[in-house]
Amino acid sequence: MTMCSAIVSSQTVTIVDDDNGLPVDAVAIYNKEQALSAITNKKGEADISVFSDKEEIIISHVSYTTINTTKEFLKTNNFRVRLIKKTAQLNEIVLSVFKSKEKTTRIAEQTVAISKEDIIRESPQTSADLLGAVPGVKVQKSQFGGGSPVLRGMESNRVLLVVDGVRMNNAIYRKGHLQNSITIAPSLLERTEIVFGPSSVIYGSDALGGVIHYYTKTPKLSEKNSVKSELFSRYSSVNQEITNNVSAELNFEKWASYTNVSYSTFGDLQMGKNRSHGFKDWGLVSHYSENIGDNYAASPTLNSDPTIQRNTGYSQLDVLQKFFFPISKKADVTVNLQYSTSSNIPRFDKLTELKKGNLKFAEWYYGPQKRFLASTQLAINPNKSWVDKGVFTLAYQKIHESRIQRKFGSLDRLYRNEGLDVFSINGDFTVPLTNEKNRNLSYGFEFTYNDVMSVRTGKTLRVSNGKVTGFSGDFTVQSRYPDGGSSYASSAIYTDYRQDITPKATLNTGIRLTNTVLKARWVDQTFITLPQTEITLKNSAITATLGYAFRPTEDWQLNSVLSSGFRSPNIDDVGKVREKNGKVTLPNISLKPEFAYNAEVGILKFFNKKRFSLGLNTYYTLLDNYITREADGTQIQYDGETGDVVKNINKGQAYITGYTISYQGRINENWKTLGFLTYTKGESYDTKERMSSIPPLFGRFEVSYRKEKLELSANYRFNAKKHITTYNISEGIDNHVQTPIVNKNAINDVDKYYGTPSWFTVGLQGRYNVSQYITIQGALSNIFDEHYKEFASGISAPGRNFSVAVHAIF
């Protein structure tokens, strides 16, 4: 009797929702001829004994993605299947970026969700490349090992990066271009959600342009013990990229574990050779430095192929370890460990910088960029009148970055090292105020503390027979940040209220109080003298939001938002010392917060039973007391050269306005399409100067075909020209000196440089499921091998690239 029961049990499949693990009933299971079939019950179970082991089985549900499999494969997963929800009905997407799950029908802000399927299909080399495919997001690169996302004309410390509920922005996130978005490998991500515009009610300081929230993969419990392993490997021709990723998920009834290790190596990047823009020498690398490792070269080396951007290669290792276990029926714990490190990353734009016609730097690179995160999340579900659900997140981050540089004609090497310890705790809670859950209250708190240490030293090289054999002495170097140590702390409380005031309209309001305290101490004043060597800056702000989502019919949604945000100056804003293009930034200990006041309108129209959508989002953001970089008319000796002194200062008011038009959906059962067009403009009211970080008109259009095991797609990307007169010349953040020279004898930069030429690329992608275990992907990007540079970038974009990847499940 026992033996018979075991045989029947082994032929029962259990089907659950991939997101929450709950059973899915009414799932149809049938063979290709539809002669045999079964349907799951309320427990998500169905008897599949009628099917043979190797017979193709189709698992189908109207709300989930269809799966083609075999009983033999199901056996390897203990006859347990997780179904992924369709996004065919585009308004049913659920977002977590507002710290509680909400359908997009109840959200007025402009948002974008990147699913796991999107990440697999896009197959980006870095997370920065992933963001570059998102409507409304532009990515700048100073070197290949980086990527600075721009949202609504704002970037770096005006855009908030978050991973698994923990803010990545820290006390030294700088103004200008920030390359930290690459420290999370795409293979670690379950999804990414982006909200545009000031979101300071939920997230606090820094979220002026928007929030980018990375969610890494999390293991799930299973009544049947299981182990799932995956392997991903990719090669790309344009930079000899080799990426290998392995992962293992252990699922048990009382605990689960997920481990992911990703390692990538990137060689020197090949630029495009087709110069449709008409500038034959722009971006070419005629000479380069061979001063790598212990190699010493007294002068630059002639580049045998100027289209190869020497000194752009690097490597990166990313590790994710998660444990998940329930501690009661109403509480569970997630332990999250992340580690990312890289090799030295050459600063390409610096290594191609010229002084009197010759390369200026023999060495300029970032040391290994290290990020460690340890966090514990306690999720509770007490079902009380004052809290229905809640999450406590306790986190610690240890971050290390460094800059090493040496000029040609000198044996003096400069080291600047920065280390941060970041501690944070936040609690986020929700409670429905009615049984229908059409009135919801959210509230929470956050506390973060950044401890910053900036260390510097200078060493004179000892050289013999073309090799660096040691050091002959030390010398004093100016530190990048306060050498006596610095700290930055913030504390905040917030509340958010969302109500369906009618079945067709949702109102959202919220308010947040934030306090920040910055402390800094300078010891060595060999190079700079400050009126105060020890400072304490305290700031506070109240920010608010009001959103209204109106759905007059099933096929229309109209959104409007009024919101405010602020950014309190951090250590980088107040205390940084550095040189760029002959301008030396010095500390300003009197810097004040900048504020943003935003109004936006969104229109969304659905077609074909909500399988196709067309949307428009337009906004106007007023910046008050905005922070900008300005010369003070004096000069200073820095790293052996005379430079013009500039400082971050507060100015009056400026505006940024723009729009994004987007569409997506199904043409029919096999064909899908999507696309967007983004325009941005920004200008100061007081100086009439254009704002920095304002990209030109850009867009992307894609069409894809999918049938059974094959998926094909084609995409078209473009950027309009950004004329030199639309740059902010005085700040220099947009790297206008990296654009083509049209008159090298001109005195003014507006007459000397062209601006960013327009460009377009065409790409193809394909994916084929060889079996249930193996998938092969291929891509051909920049088919016409166009040469171009992304706006404000110091490096030419990749030329024609062929990549091939294999994904295997064990």
Side-chain angles (χ1 to χ4, degrees), residues 714-774:
N715 63 76
Y716 173 85
R717 299 172 57 234
F718 82 94
N719 260 49
K721 174 186 175 181
K722 183 174 175 68
H723 196 276
I724 191 64
T725 57
T726 63
Y727 277 76
N728 184 308
I729 301 296
S730 59
E731 265 199 306
I733 287 176
D734 292 339
N735 292 324
H736 65 276
V737 296
Q738 294 285 346
T739 70
I741 296 175
V742 292
N743 184 359
K744 64 180 180 180
N745 297 318
I747 298 176
N748 298 318
D749 283 359
V750 172
D751 300 320
K752 184 176 181 179
Y753 296 99
Y754 177 81
T756 302
S758 62
W759 56 266
F760 76 91
T761 66
V762 177
L764 300 173
Q765 290 178 304
R767 183 169 58 163
Y768 182 74
N769 297 323
V770 178
S771 68
Q772 295 293 326
Y773 306 93
I774 299 175

Side-chain angles (χ1 to χ4, degrees), residues 63-78:
S63 299
Y64 294 86
T65 301
T66 300
I67 293 177
N68 293 62
T69 186
T70 64
K71 190 161 69 174
E72 185 179 56
F73 179 75
L74 293 177
K75 187 177 181 180
T76 64
N77 288 315
N78 294 318

Side-chain angles (χ1 to χ4, degrees), residues 262-325:
S262 180
Y263 182 73
S264 299
T265 59
F266 305 96
D268 289 333
L269 183 65
Q270 174 89 55
M271 70 180 72
K273 296 181 179 180
N274 184 11
R275 297 179 164 266
S276 301
H277 47 62
F279 299 99
K280 64 177 183 178
D281 297 325
W282 179 45
L284 292 178
V285 182
S286 60
H287 292 78
Y288 67 99
S289 174
E290 286 191 296
N291 290 272
I292 300 174
D294 64 353
N295 189 57
Y296 176 80
S299 58
T301 301
L302 182 67
N303 191 358
S304 59
D305 185 352
T307 64
I308 296 179
Q309 299 174 94
R310 306 290 183 183
N311 296 319
T312 52
Y314 73 102
S315 62
Q316 182 168 322
L317 171 69
D318 293 273
V319 180
L320 170 66
Q321 175 62 61
K322 273 190 180 180
F323 297 100
F324 174 82
F325 53 91

Side-chain angles (χ1 to χ4, degrees), residues 534-760:
E534 193 165 350
I535 62 169
T536 298
L537 303 180
K538 297 181 180 180
N539 293 301
S540 62
I542 295 177
T543 53
T545 186
L546 176 65
Y548 182 71
F550 178 54
R551 304 169 293 278
T553 69
E554 285 291 318
D555 295 330
W556 285 91
Q557 180 166 334
L558 308 177
N559 300 322
S560 59
V561 178
L562 295 174
S563 60
S564 63
F566 93 109
R567 190 178 72 82
S568 186
N570 62 17
I571 302 297
D572 187 272
D573 295 309
V574 172
K576 179 172 64 179
V577 180
R578 72 94 185 249
E579 180 274 338
K580 180 181 179 182
N581 297 327
K583 297 179 179 180
V584 181
T585 302
L586 293 186
N588 178 6
I589 60 177
S590 301
L591 205 59
K592 302 297 182 182
E594 58 182 353
F595 294 83
Y597 304 95
N598 177 70
E600 62 183 274
V601 174
I603 302 173
L604 190 61
K605 167 64 176 172
F606 295 100
F607 304 89
N608 190 21
K609 298 180 180 179
K610 297 183 180 177
R611 292 177 177 268
F612 197 95
S613 69
L614 175 66
L616 167 66
N617 289 91
T618 183
Y619 64 93
Y620 173 89
T621 301
L622 176 70
L623 293 173
D624 186 38
N625 212 37
Y626 70 95
I627 297 174
T628 187
R629 195 174 297 153
E630 187 172 86
D632 70 357
T634 63
Q635 293 186 320
I636 190 174
Q637 283 289 315
Y638 181 81
D639 289 351
E641 294 185 5
T642 301
D644 298 322
V645 173
V646 297
K647 295 180 180 180
N648 287 324
I649 64 169
N650 295 105
K651 299 288 282 188
Q653 293 183 331
Y655 74 89
I656 300 176
T657 187
Y659 62 81
T660 293
I661 301 172
S662 60
Y663 68 88
Q664 63 171 318
R666 293 181 178 274
I667 301 173
N668 58 35
E669 190 65 27
N670 302 114
W671 289 90
K672 292 173 61 178
T673 183
L674 58 87
F676 73 89
L677 189 69
T678 296
Y679 170 80
T680 316
K681 181 182 178 181
E683 188 175 284
S684 62
Y685 282 115
D686 47 0
T687 66
K688 302 303 179 183
E689 281 188 293
R690 294 299 179 99
M691 297 295 287
S692 298
S693 303
I694 305 297
L697 180 74
F698 67 97
R700 171 175 169 146
F701 306 98
E702 180 178 320
V703 62
S704 62
Y705 172 84
R706 184 171 187 172
K707 186 174 184 180
E708 296 179 351
K709 298 180 178 182
L710 178 67
E711 182 176 355
L712 300 172
S713 65
N715 63 76
Y716 173 85
R717 299 172 57 234
F718 82 94
N719 260 49
K721 174 186 175 181
K722 183 174 175 68
H723 196 276
I724 191 64
T725 57
T726 63
Y727 277 76
N728 184 308
I729 301 296
S730 59
E731 265 199 306
I733 287 176
D734 292 339
N735 292 324
H736 65 276
V737 296
Q738 294 285 346
T739 70
I741 296 175
V742 292
N743 184 359
K744 64 180 180 180
N745 297 318
I747 298 176
N748 298 318
D749 283 359
V750 172
D751 300 320
K752 184 176 181 179
Y753 296 99
Y754 177 81
T756 302
S758 62
W759 56 266
F760 76 91

